[in-house]
Amino acid sequence: MNLQLLPVCRTGKIRKDGTSSIAIQYCFTSDRRAVLDSGLGVPAKYWNKKRRRISDQLPILYGVTAELNERLDDEVRKAQEIISIAIKRKDDPVDFFKVHYKPEKSLESI
């Protein structure tokens, strides 16, 4: 099942520390989408847009690249599970995703 979930680096708003947030984008249709913050952030120049990953060149000041990419993968998996739950319940997946996806929230609380 292709759920149209992608991690994206939001370069429009740069935080005070110089990082841009990494968000999870869910495209239900071309007109209906949700882009929610994953809780992760890196300077935009260390985001590999083509691979949708944090670059290995990221300075250690911002964290360990492998650990950050693993956390990002976990957030994408959590988003996939939330959307799957919405589809099983026959709820609107976009609205359900917006309500239930929070980086600090566990799947058990749904």
Side-chain angles (χ1 to χ4, degrees):
M1 177 189 315
N2 188 358
L3 298 178
Q4 312 301 328
L5 282 162
L6 301 170
V8 294
C9 185
R10 301 178 85 184
T11 57
K13 293 182 182 177
I14 297 175
R15 300 174 181 164
K16 290 181 182 179
D17 64 358
T19 62
S20 297
S21 69
I22 298 173
I24 308 295
Q25 176 180 284
Y26 171 54
C27 298
F28 183 64
T29 66
S30 60
D31 297 332
R32 297 207 54 223
R33 7 178 135 203
V35 181
L36 301 176
D37 188 20
S38 70
L40 299 170
V42 297
K45 74 178 191 176
Y46 297 108
W47 176 252
N48 185 326
K49 188 175 181 178
K50 184 176 180 180
R51 294 182 59 218
R52 300 199 180 273
R53 310 290 290 159
I54 299 167
S55 169
D56 291 334
Q57 306 302 318
L58 181 73
I60 195 71
L61 166 71
Y62 298 104
V64 178
T65 303
E67 291 175 9
L68 292 172
N69 279 323
E70 188 174 320
R71 283 184 50 205
L72 181 58
D73 290 342
D74 290 343
E75 292 302 317
V76 171
R77 277 192 290 276
K78 182 168 58 171
Q80 287 172 335
E81 190 63 32
I82 289 169
I83 293 166
S84 294
I85 290 168
I87 291 168
K88 287 177 189 173
R89 290 183 180 182
K90 298 188 188 293
D91 286 334
D92 180 273
V94 175
D95 292 338
F96 195 84
F97 180 59
K98 287 179 180 178
V99 169
H100 293 286
Y101 178 79
K102 306 274 186 289
E104 68 279 354
K105 195 173 179 181
S106 69
L107 283 173
E108 290 77 32
S109 63
I110 297 175

